[in-house]
Amino acid sequence: YSETREPLPAMLDGLDALVIDLQDVGTRIYTYIYTMAYCLIGARKAGLPVIVCDRPNPIGGAIEGACLQKGWESFVGQYPIPMRHGMTIGELARLFNDAYGIGADLEVVPMEGWQRSQYADETGLPWVMPSPNMPTLDSAIVYPGTVLFEGTLLSEGRGTTRPFELVGAPWIDAERFADALNALGLPGAYFRPAGFEPTFQKHAKQPCGGCQIHVTDRETFQPVATGVALIDTFRRFDVERFAWRQPPYEYEHELMPIDILAGADTLRRQIESGVPLAEIVDSWRDDEASFARIRAPYLLY
């Protein structure tokens, strides 16, 4: 069964309904929302009703980043939504099912008392790790940006106790790197020089230099822009040692991992061409505005 993302008919045989209760983290590439989408597709084919139990978006309702473009679909991005979509998993179910044509018999059980501006620590609910490398709300807040590191040979902190908050590489001088980032004046963030040694995955058991991202104001913090600034700064520090990760990645064997993460090859080409961060961020504005209009009919809160 590990070879399929969509439930096989035998998996659904004999069911009266399929109930989906998953905790998303508010970022396009987090695969739970596509597991849900594939379940909606499988259930539609089987004539089976689906009930989605809604849960909070732990990082609130802001929209940030370019939308995924046609031709770049993968298991880390199936539909044209921005990196930070600001929707709940129930709202995404409605969007996928209607706007993107799945057409399942869908019911979403809404939450009571949640507001779109709320972060997870404002709900009164405990943080339960949705996956092993999402140990805290801090991880989820930076994740829309530092998940892009999975498309590079830089460490995104997997194998440490602070995945996605710690980033680095063996060839980086942590003090110089953090100083360069803090000099950018990025809103809502402070970059503390850090040395770390991942226990597994990239650069396992090798001392890495880099930084820990401390979010000082999550209302002004822009995780996607910050992630791009980090990658660009790493590349500028040593363009010879910096490298993009090569496929395969997440069941995709042809397209570059950074491109399917970013939703197209645009971001990679912008970074390689030295496009200033402000111009890269401005290039997302039309997508963000368009998505705000597209998502509006499907919002429940």
Side-chain angles (χ1 to χ4, degrees):
Y1 284 166
S2 65
E3 295 304 309
T4 179
R5 312 279 79 75
E6 181 184 322
L8 300 172
M11 298 176 182
L12 303 176
D13 191 39
L15 299 184
D16 297 316
L18 181 62
V19 179
I20 299 173
D21 185 5
L22 292 168
Q23 178 60 63
D24 182 42
V25 298
T27 300
R28 179 181 67 224
I29 72 96
Y30 204 62
T31 57
Y32 291 8
I33 60 176
Y34 307 117
T35 296
M36 175 184 70
Y38 281 127
C39 286
L40 287 168
I41 293 168
R44 183 206 68 217
K45 292 176 180 177
L48 191 67
V50 179
I51 300 165
V52 174
C53 302
D54 211 1
R55 285 177 175 262
N57 182 325
I59 60 171
I63 295 171
E64 189 190 0
C67 288
L68 181 138
Q69 295 180 22
K70 190 170 181 57
W72 301 95
E73 296 88 352
S74 72
F75 194 50
V76 292
Q78 283 284 350
Y79 300 104
I81 64 176
M83 186 65 96
R84 187 178 179 189
H85 51 70
M87 300 177 74
T88 68
I89 194 165
E91 291 170 337
L92 285 169
R94 287 157 50 92
L95 175 74
F96 295 168
N97 199 50
D98 184 3
Y100 303 137
I102 294 176
D105 179 0
L106 171 66
E107 177 186 352
V108 174
V109 180
M111 297 177 283
E112 295 179 0
W114 186 73
Q115 297 178 345
R116 196 166 308 280
S117 61
Q118 287 182 314
Y119 282 71
D121 57 2
E122 298 173 305
T123 64
L125 300 171
W127 182 266
V128 178
M129 292 193 302
S131 57
N133 284 293
M134 201 61 63
T136 67
L137 173 58
D138 291 337
S139 319
I141 290 171
V142 299
Y143 182 70
T146 51
V147 70
L148 292 168
F149 277 63
E150 293 190 10
T152 73
L153 296 186
L154 304 163
S155 171
E156 64 273 11
R158 289 180 184 270
T160 76
T161 57
R162 288 286 178 177
F164 301 107
E165 294 176 69
L166 286 170
V167 293
W171 39 270
I172 286 290
D173 179 313
E175 297 281 349
R176 285 183 55 234
F177 182 72
D179 285 348
L181 278 163
N182 286 317
L184 296 176
L186 297 171
Y190 178 77
F191 303 92
R192 181 181 62 81
F196 60 94
E197 189 173 298
T199 58
F200 58 83
Q201 292 224 354
K202 294 179 196 164
H203 309 303
K205 300 182 172 57
Q206 295 183 61
C208 292
C211 67
Q212 182 176 351
I213 307 161
H214 295 271
V215 177
T216 56
D217 181 353
R218 62 193 185 188
E219 299 307 321
T220 61
F221 177 62
Q222 298 170 27
V224 186
T226 301
V228 172
L230 281 160
I231 290 175
D232 184 57
T233 303
F234 273 113
R235 185 175 178 275
R236 290 175 188 273
F237 257 58
D238 195 330
V239 72
E240 296 301 320
R241 292 192 187 181
F242 176 88
W244 302 111
R245 181 176 178 172
Q246 298 299 308
Y249 172 75
E250 289 288 353
Y251 311 105
E252 169 57 53
H253 294 270
E254 302 296 332
L255 300 175
M256 290 281 283
I258 186 62
D259 296 347
I260 60 172
L261 286 162
D265 61 358
T266 309
L267 178 63
R268 175 171 56 84
R269 295 182 184 281
Q270 288 171 324
I271 292 172
E272 290 174 345
S273 301
V275 176
L277 179 66
E279 287 186 30
I280 294 176
V281 172
D282 282 346
S283 73
W284 305 336
R285 297 303 183 211
D286 286 348
D287 279 9
E288 292 167 346
S290 174
F291 183 71
R293 292 190 296 271
I294 290 167
R295 79 173 189 175
Y298 304 101
L299 301 183
L300 294 169
Y301 313 95

